[in-house]
Amino acid sequence: MLKIEEIKNEEFEMLFFKRKGRKSIIFKTLVSMKVGECIRFDHSVLRSQYQLKRVLYHLRKNYHYDFSGGRLADGSGWAYKRET
């Protein structure tokens, strides 16, 4: 049975919706990182590795963010550090 409930605007703003590109969880997380912060994530966050390449390219081109890191050697996911 579907339960419908009313939520406040603040709660709605904190929700993450499953979308691609600039609306994705990974994009929102990477764009909100400060210089020197690090992030690690697994396959469940991404639809494909190609999506990650597009997000990183967009951040470099339009936001002038640089990241170091990449795919983890054990294949469990990716890790990145914001450089600039």
Side-chain angles (χ1 to χ4, degrees), residues 23-37:
K23 306 282 185 182
S24 69
I25 294 171
I26 192 64
F27 178 84
K28 288 181 179 181
T29 305
L30 289 171
V31 80
S32 67
M33 289 174 65
K34 294 180 176 36
V35 175
E37 287 185 337

Side-chain angles (χ1 to χ4, degrees), residues 2-47:
L2 179 63
K3 181 182 173 188
I4 299 174
E5 63 180 285
E6 194 171 319
I7 61 174
K8 296 181 180 183
N9 190 32
E10 295 83 26
E11 291 177 80
F12 182 80
E13 294 298 326
M14 299 208 38
L15 295 174
F16 285 109
F17 296 96
K18 192 172 184 179
R19 298 180 185 164
K20 63 180 185 175
R22 290 170 288 199
K23 306 282 185 182
S24 69
I25 294 171
I26 192 64
F27 178 84
K28 288 181 179 181
T29 305
L30 289 171
V31 80
S32 67
M33 289 174 65
K34 294 180 176 36
V35 175
E37 287 185 337
C38 304
I39 186 174
R40 181 175 151 181
F41 52 94
D42 63 8
H43 298 279
S44 66
V45 178
L46 300 174
R47 291 183 330 183

Side-chain angles (χ1 to χ4, degrees), residues 36-66:
E37 287 185 337
C38 304
I39 186 174
R40 181 175 151 181
F41 52 94
D42 63 8
H43 298 279
S44 66
V45 178
L46 300 174
R47 291 183 330 183
S48 68
Q49 185 176 357
Y50 183 67
Q51 177 196 6
L52 178 60
K53 289 178 184 179
R54 289 183 54 90
V55 169
L56 291 171
Y57 174 78
H58 180 79
L59 290 172
R60 286 184 189 113
K61 181 180 175 191
N62 297 315
Y63 290 77
H64 306 290
Y65 286 7
D66 272 334

